[in-house]
Amino acid sequence: MSDVGVDGGVTQDGYWRDIADQFFLNGHSIKEYQEFLSGSAQLGDTTICIIGTSRHTPIGVEIALKQAQAVLQTIRDFPQRPILLMVDTQGQRLRHRDEMLGINSYMAHLGKCIELARQSGHKVIALVYDQALSGGFITSGMMADACYALPQATIRVMGLPAMARITKVSEEKLNELAIDNPVFAPGPRNYERMGGIQAIWEHDLAAQLAAAFANADASDQRIASGATRGGRWMAQKVVDAVLSEDISS
């Protein structure tokens, strides 16, 4: 059984289970309820917490609160237990109700809870196993110590047709720019070049997940990685220029 995704792609029903089975060879207790994933699994000798989403679900106020609640519960009940964020979202829910309720505040709350987990000694790793778009990705996967992706994942902040409408730059021109500049191009390889994705995982997924937790670093290395990989040439220069200014004047 399969579902047609919002971008026209086909997502297999229970696809997250296939991925989880490859990571957790000794089984897991992950459950899905209304596109919200939660549970635990054994990774070697370590128990980890899993929090995430499925079926390209948009992040509305309810699921943002569910994820935040799961993070806070982990901090309270399982001090310093590693957290894996499984990311599959089409971005924030674009509904008048969510906007009126202040979806931006709910998503910011989720981001703050993940930061609180990090400050409380939890290692936080994110995995884009299917789709990651816009704000839903930024407040989950991009808040982790490091974010990884599978080769078949779909990652973008904004599609080029939408970008063309907003910037008034033709889609043809944007496609030309995307050839050499990963900022304009979707896909995990381009996000890896920019440093947003630490690495793309293939083959022995369980070993790579274990290594990611072992090497997790709470300091933000994305700008440096993007410069080293040739995907973000100016970011560090801009940061240095801002920090060198005498703000006291």
Side-chain angles (χ1 to χ4, degrees):
M1 186 176 183
S2 62
D3 300 321
V4 178
V6 292
D7 58 356
V10 176
T11 298
Q12 294 298 317
D13 187 15
Y15 175 57
W16 66 266
R17 292 187 181 89
D18 297 332
I19 299 300
D21 288 344
Q22 295 179 58
F23 278 103
F24 309 115
L25 305 180
N26 296 321
H28 58 80
S29 67
I30 306 172
K31 304 295 183 183
E32 178 183 23
Y33 178 72
Q34 296 181 342
E35 291 78 49
F36 170 62
L37 303 177
S38 63
S40 62
Q42 200 70 19
L43 191 65
D45 296 329
T46 303
T47 302
I48 69 170
C49 174
I50 295 94
I51 301 167
T53 51
S54 64
R55 305 172 194 267
H56 302 349
T57 189
I59 305 301
V61 296
E62 296 87 0
I63 204 164
L65 279 179
K66 286 179 182 177
Q67 292 186 92
Q69 181 182 35
V71 173
L72 293 176
Q73 184 176 350
T74 300
I75 297 171
R76 182 191 65 197
D77 297 341
F78 306 104
Q80 299 189 347
R81 174 175 288 186
I83 298 172
L84 172 65
L85 304 174
M86 293 185 66
V87 181
D88 178 18
T89 176
Q90 60 179 275
Q92 68 268 31
R93 183 189 290 158
L94 301 177
R95 290 184 183 173
H96 182 260
R97 170 182 173 274
D98 291 87
E99 294 293 336
M100 293 300 293
L101 288 172
I103 180 61
N104 58 309
S105 296
Y106 287 82
M107 296 175 76
H109 174 60
L110 171 57
K112 291 175 183 178
C113 290
I114 295 173
E115 175 59 20
L116 177 62
R118 183 174 15 257
Q119 293 179 3
S120 302
H122 296 261
K123 294 182 177 181
V124 185
I125 296 296
L127 171 68
V128 181
Y129 71 95
D130 199 338
Q131 180 171 276
L133 274 64
S134 65
F137 175 40
I138 293 170
T139 56
S140 56
M142 296 299 286
M143 282 298 297
D145 296 340
C147 185
Y148 298 83
L150 299 183
Q152 66 272 25
T154 299
I155 306 176
R156 63 174 182 267
V157 173
M158 184 181 293
L160 292 185
M163 193 182 297
R165 290 194 297 271
I166 291 174
T167 64
K168 308 305 180 184
V169 177
S170 71
E171 188 175 345
E172 180 182 5
K173 179 62 175 178
L174 290 175
N175 276 302
E176 291 178 7
L177 292 171
I179 295 174
D180 298 316
N181 193 327
V183 172
F184 294 93
R189 297 292 177 190
N190 287 300
Y191 276 77
E192 183 182 31
R193 282 184 61 196
M194 290 188 290
I197 296 297
Q198 182 68 16
I200 298 172
W201 286 345
E202 300 182 73
H203 310 303
D204 191 342
L205 300 182
Q208 291 180 91
L209 178 60
F213 276 117
N215 300 320
D217 185 350
S219 62
D220 193 342
Q221 302 295 321
R222 287 174 293 187
I223 288 179
S225 296
T228 301
R229 298 168 185 174
R232 297 182 71 189
W233 305 285
M234 295 300 297
Q236 191 59 57
K237 292 181 180 180
V238 171
V239 170
D240 293 341
V242 171
L243 294 177
S244 67
E245 291 292 326
D246 185 2
I247 59 175
S248 62
S249 60

